[in-house]
Amino acid sequence: MNRRRWLLTTLLGVSVLGAVPMATALGRGAGPSGQSPSIQAVALGAAFTYQGRLNDAGSPANGAYDLRFILYDAETGGAQVGATVTKEDVLVVNGLFTTTLDFGASSFNGDGRWVEIAVRAGTS
């Protein structure tokens, strides 16, 4: 019986100690001035990272390429959604590239979207 009471007391103590860092991490409790800390909401932008693979003449591309991205609301015959995004001199290594795209905050509303990508050598 004493062993069971000791085990329950120990588990309760560990549970309480585990809750203190969690409450601190969540911003609970008073700050240095005795006031509760405030939580500020930060708006997320519409930008996202796009990773792609590019072949040039059947082989993985290497070098700088200019890329143009246009977002549409249908696979064929759709209307453009948002702004055209142009990225110049994107570095392509072994056919792989990464760039950031932002078509605008209202471009994604839950409906399907298709991206047209145009490519040219960066020196042209």
Side-chain angles (χ1 to χ4, degrees):
M1 186 69 166
N2 284 338
R3 182 177 180 166
R4 184 174 178 194
R5 181 175 287 157
W6 177 83
L7 182 60
L8 288 174
T9 304
T10 303
L11 288 175
L12 181 61
V14 170
S15 297
V16 171
L17 289 176
V20 171
M22 182 62 76
T24 303
L26 293 174
R28 306 257 165 106
S33 64
Q35 298 177 353
S36 295
S38 63
I39 297 174
Q40 294 181 352
V42 177
L44 298 177
F48 61 95
T49 301
Y50 181 88
Q51 297 177 324
R53 177 177 294 161
L54 178 63
N55 286 333
D56 192 353
S59 297
N62 284 293
Y65 287 82
D66 296 337
L67 306 173
R68 183 187 70 200
F69 300 86
I70 301 176
L71 192 66
Y72 290 97
D73 62 1
E75 185 175 0
T76 57
Q80 182 174 343
V81 178
T84 298
V85 177
T86 303
K87 299 289 184 166
E88 295 184 358
D89 297 326
V90 174
L91 183 60
V92 180
V93 178
N94 293 325
L96 302 176
F97 67 92
T98 301
T99 191
T100 301
L101 301 178
D102 188 348
F103 295 103
S106 63
S107 297
F108 296 98
N109 61 5
D111 293 336
R113 298 290 184 244
W114 287 260
V115 177
E116 174 186 283
I117 304 171
V119 181
R120 71 177 179 191
T123 57
S124 57

